[in-house]
Protein backbone atom coordinates (compact mmCIF):
# COMPACT_ATOMS: atom_id res chain seq x y z
CA UNK A 1 0.00 0.00 0.00
CA UNK A 2 1.44 3.30 -1.02
CA UNK A 3 0.39 6.73 0.02
CA UNK A 4 1.50 10.14 -1.02
CA UNK A 5 2.47 11.36 -4.42
CA UNK A 6 3.30 8.96 -7.19
CA UNK A 7 6.90 8.84 -8.37
CA UNK A 8 7.71 11.39 -11.05
CA UNK A 9 7.14 10.24 -14.58
CA UNK A 10 10.02 9.78 -17.01
CA UNK A 11 9.26 13.07 -18.78
CA UNK A 12 9.40 15.10 -15.54
CA UNK A 13 13.03 14.25 -14.79
CA UNK A 14 15.58 16.36 -16.62
CA UNK A 15 17.79 14.62 -19.17
CA UNK A 16 21.50 14.39 -18.60
CA UNK A 17 23.53 16.46 -20.98
CA UNK A 18 25.79 14.76 -23.49
CA UNK A 19 28.84 16.15 -21.75
CA UNK A 20 27.86 14.63 -18.42
CA UNK A 21 27.19 11.34 -20.14
CA UNK A 22 30.28 11.02 -22.31
CA UNK A 23 32.95 12.95 -20.36
CA UNK A 24 33.69 10.11 -17.89
CA UNK A 25 33.87 7.64 -20.79
CA UNK A 26 36.19 9.95 -22.70
CA UNK A 27 38.51 10.40 -19.71
CA UNK A 28 38.63 6.65 -19.12
CA UNK A 29 39.41 6.00 -22.80
CA UNK A 30 42.11 8.69 -22.74
CA UNK A 31 43.76 7.15 -19.65
CA UNK A 32 43.72 3.66 -21.17
CA UNK A 33 45.20 5.02 -24.41
CA UNK A 34 47.93 6.91 -22.51
CA UNK A 35 48.94 3.80 -20.55
CA UNK A 36 48.88 1.63 -23.68
CA UNK A 37 51.03 4.12 -25.60
CA UNK A 38 53.53 4.35 -22.73
CA UNK A 39 53.90 0.56 -22.65
CA UNK A 40 54.36 0.41 -26.44
CA UNK A 41 57.06 3.11 -26.37
CA UNK A 42 58.71 1.46 -23.35
CA UNK A 43 58.78 -1.86 -25.21
CA UNK A 44 60.32 -0.27 -28.31
CA UNK A 45 62.74 2.26 -26.81
CA UNK A 46 63.14 1.11 -23.21
CA UNK A 47 61.76 2.15 -19.87
CA UNK A 48 64.55 4.65 -19.19
CA UNK A 49 63.70 6.51 -22.41
CA UNK A 50 60.06 6.78 -21.36
CA UNK A 51 61.16 8.03 -17.95
CA UNK A 52 63.33 10.72 -19.59
CA UNK A 53 60.44 11.75 -21.88
CA UNK A 54 58.08 12.11 -18.93
CA UNK A 55 60.69 14.02 -16.92
CA UNK A 56 61.38 16.37 -19.85
CA UNK A 57 57.63 16.99 -20.17
CA UNK A 58 57.35 17.90 -16.49
CA UNK A 59 60.33 20.28 -16.65
CA UNK A 60 59.17 21.93 -19.89
CA UNK A 61 55.62 22.27 -18.53
CA UNK A 62 56.89 23.97 -15.37
CA UNK A 63 58.97 26.40 -17.44
CA UNK A 64 56.01 27.23 -19.70
CA UNK A 65 53.65 27.82 -16.76
CA UNK A 66 56.21 29.99 -14.99
CA UNK A 67 56.81 32.07 -18.12
CA UNK A 68 53.09 32.51 -18.81
CA UNK A 69 52.50 33.57 -15.20
CA UNK A 70 55.28 36.15 -15.37
CA UNK A 71 53.92 37.48 -18.66
CA UNK A 72 50.41 37.77 -17.22
CA UNK A 73 51.72 39.59 -14.13
CA UNK A 74 53.78 41.96 -16.31
CA UNK A 75 50.74 42.76 -18.49
CA UNK A 76 48.61 43.36 -15.40
CA UNK A 77 51.13 45.69 -13.76
CA UNK A 78 51.62 47.65 -17.02
CA UNK A 79 47.87 48.06 -17.42
CA UNK A 80 47.49 49.25 -13.82
CA UNK A 81 50.34 51.76 -14.25
CA UNK A 82 48.75 53.13 -17.43
CA UNK A 83 45.36 53.46 -15.74
CA UNK A 84 46.87 55.24 -12.74
CA UNK A 85 48.75 57.60 -15.06
CA UNK A 86 45.54 58.34 -16.93
CA UNK A 87 46.98 57.18 -20.26
CA UNK A 88 44.80 54.27 -21.21
CA UNK A 89 45.17 53.67 -24.96
CA UNK A 90 41.82 52.98 -26.55
CA UNK A 91 41.52 49.80 -28.55
CA UNK A 92 45.09 48.62 -28.00
CA UNK A 93 45.42 44.86 -28.36
CA UNK A 94 47.73 43.36 -25.76
CA UNK A 95 49.31 40.01 -26.45
CA UNK A 96 47.09 37.45 -24.74
CA UNK A 97 46.90 33.72 -24.64
CA UNK A 98 48.31 33.28 -21.15
CA UNK A 99 45.49 30.90 -20.25
CA UNK A 100 46.22 28.66 -23.23
CA UNK A 101 49.95 28.78 -22.45
CA UNK A 102 49.22 27.66 -18.91
CA UNK A 103 46.98 24.90 -20.27
CA UNK A 104 49.84 23.82 -22.56
CA UNK A 105 52.19 23.70 -19.56
CA UNK A 106 49.68 21.69 -17.56
CA UNK A 107 49.24 19.21 -20.41
CA UNK A 108 53.02 18.84 -20.62
CA UNK A 109 53.25 18.18 -16.90
CA UNK A 110 50.58 15.45 -16.95
CA UNK A 111 52.36 12.12 -17.44
CA UNK A 112 51.53 10.72 -20.85
CA UNK A 113 52.60 11.08 -24.45
CA UNK A 114 49.24 12.17 -25.87
CA UNK A 115 48.90 15.00 -23.35
CA UNK A 116 52.51 16.01 -24.12
CA UNK A 117 51.72 16.12 -27.84
CA UNK A 118 48.63 18.28 -27.20
CA UNK A 119 50.69 20.58 -24.97
CA UNK A 120 53.35 20.95 -27.65
CA UNK A 121 50.69 21.76 -30.26
CA UNK A 122 49.31 24.48 -27.97
CA UNK A 123 52.77 26.06 -27.79
CA UNK A 124 52.55 26.93 -31.51
CA UNK A 125 51.33 30.59 -31.68
CA UNK A 126 49.03 30.26 -34.76
CA UNK A 127 47.27 27.26 -33.21
CA UNK A 128 46.87 29.13 -29.92
CA UNK A 129 45.45 32.20 -31.74
CA UNK A 130 42.99 30.14 -33.78
CA UNK A 131 41.82 28.20 -30.71
CA UNK A 132 41.43 31.43 -28.74
CA UNK A 133 39.29 33.03 -31.48
CA UNK A 134 37.16 29.90 -31.82
CA UNK A 135 36.61 29.72 -28.06
CA UNK A 136 35.75 33.41 -27.86
CA UNK A 137 33.20 33.14 -30.69
CA UNK A 138 31.63 30.05 -29.11
CA UNK A 139 31.31 31.70 -25.71
CA UNK A 140 29.85 34.87 -27.24
CA UNK A 141 27.27 32.82 -29.16
CA UNK A 142 26.30 30.90 -26.01
CA UNK A 143 26.05 34.14 -24.01
CA UNK A 144 23.75 35.74 -26.59
CA UNK A 145 21.42 32.75 -26.56
CA UNK A 146 21.27 32.46 -22.76
CA UNK A 147 17.75 32.28 -21.38
CA UNK A 148 16.81 34.37 -18.35
CA UNK A 149 17.55 32.73 -15.04
CA UNK A 150 20.43 30.56 -16.26
CA UNK A 151 24.12 30.76 -15.43
CA UNK A 152 24.87 32.19 -18.89
CA UNK A 153 22.38 34.99 -18.24
CA UNK A 154 24.17 35.83 -14.99
CA UNK A 155 27.49 36.08 -16.82
CA UNK A 156 25.88 38.26 -19.49
CA UNK A 157 24.53 40.63 -16.85
CA UNK A 158 27.90 40.76 -15.10
CA UNK A 159 29.62 41.70 -18.37
CA UNK A 160 27.41 44.73 -19.01
CA UNK A 161 29.45 47.91 -19.09
CA UNK A 162 29.64 51.22 -20.86
CA UNK A 163 30.71 51.11 -24.53
CA UNK A 164 34.03 52.82 -23.79
CA UNK A 165 34.85 50.27 -21.08
CA UNK A 166 34.53 52.74 -18.19
CA UNK A 167 33.24 51.32 -14.94
CA UNK A 168 31.48 53.78 -12.68
CA UNK A 169 31.22 52.71 -9.09
CA UNK A 170 28.21 53.97 -7.26
CA UNK A 171 25.08 53.23 -5.35
CA UNK A 172 21.52 53.48 -6.62
CA UNK A 173 19.13 55.14 -4.21
CA UNK A 174 15.51 55.56 -5.21
CA UNK A 175 13.85 58.65 -3.78
CA UNK A 176 10.69 56.78 -2.82
CA UNK A 177 12.69 54.18 -0.85
CA UNK A 178 15.13 56.58 0.85
CA UNK A 179 14.91 56.32 4.63
CA UNK A 180 14.23 59.50 6.52
CA UNK A 181 17.56 61.16 7.26
CA UNK A 182 18.29 62.62 10.61
CA UNK A 183 18.30 66.40 10.62
CA UNK A 184 21.85 66.58 12.01
CA UNK A 185 23.27 64.16 9.38
CA UNK A 186 25.10 65.79 6.50
CA UNK A 187 25.45 64.44 2.97
CA UNK A 188 26.70 60.91 2.58
CA UNK A 189 30.36 60.52 1.68
CA UNK A 190 31.17 59.07 -1.75
CA UNK A 191 31.86 55.39 -2.14
CA UNK A 192 35.56 54.69 -2.62
CA UNK A 193 37.18 51.43 -3.64
Amino acid sequence: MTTGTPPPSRSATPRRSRVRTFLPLGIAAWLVLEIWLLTVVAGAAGGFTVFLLLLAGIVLGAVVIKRAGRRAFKNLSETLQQQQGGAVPAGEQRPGGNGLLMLAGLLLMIPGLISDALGLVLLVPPVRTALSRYTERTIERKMRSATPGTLGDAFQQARMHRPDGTVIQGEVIKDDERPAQRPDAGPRPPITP
Side-chain angles (χ1 to χ4, degrees):
M1 177 172 172
T2 60
T3 59
T5 60
S9 65
R10 181 94 171 130
S11 63
T13 58
R15 288 190 54 204
R16 282 179 68 141
S17 68
R18 285 188 213 162
V19 174
R20 287 187 60 196
T21 302
F22 293 115
L23 185 65
L25 295 173
I27 290 174
W30 172 64
L31 289 174
V32 168
L33 191 60
E34 287 277 15
I35 293 169
W36 174 77
L37 191 59
L38 284 173
T39 57
V40 168
V41 171
F48 189 68
T49 305
V50 171
F51 174 74
L52 288 179
L53 283 172
L54 294 177
L55 186 64
I58 291 171
V59 170
L60 181 62
V63 169
V64 168
I65 288 176
K66 186 176 181 180
R67 185 172 179 212
R70 283 185 179 171
R71 193 168 104 182
F73 185 75
K74 179 183 167 202
N75 290 344
L76 177 66
S77 61
E78 286 176 359
T79 303
L80 289 175
Q81 287 175 357
Q82 288 176 353
Q83 285 180 349
Q84 287 177 352
V88 180
E92 178 186 339
Q93 289 289 334
R94 302 194 65 79
N98 291 324
L100 290 177
L101 269 178
M102 288 187 182
L103 178 62
L106 180 66
L107 285 171
L108 285 169
M109 291 181 76
I110 293 174
L113 299 177
I114 297 172
S115 61
D116 287 351
L118 289 174
L120 289 173
V121 167
L122 277 178
L123 289 179
V124 178
V127 172
R128 212 172 39 239
T129 304
L131 185 62
S132 176
R133 286 182 185 157
Y134 173 75
T135 305
E136 186 176 338
R137 282 193 308 262
T138 304
I139 290 174
E140 285 293 326
R141 186 175 51 235
K142 295 265 187 198
M143 297 285 269
R144 273 188 258 124
S145 66
T147 57
T150 62
L151 185 62
D153 180 50
F155 281 123
Q156 181 68 24
Q157 289 178 7
R159 293 183 65 235
M160 289 181 187
H161 54 78
R162 289 178 49 152
D164 60 352
T166 305
V167 176
I168 301 174
Q169 294 183 359
E171 181 178 334
V172 176
I173 300 175
K174 294 183 180 180
D175 287 335
D176 57 339
E177 294 179 7
R178 177 179 278 174
Q181 290 188 358
R182 294 176 294 167
D184 60 339
R188 295 179 68 181
I191 298 175
T192 58

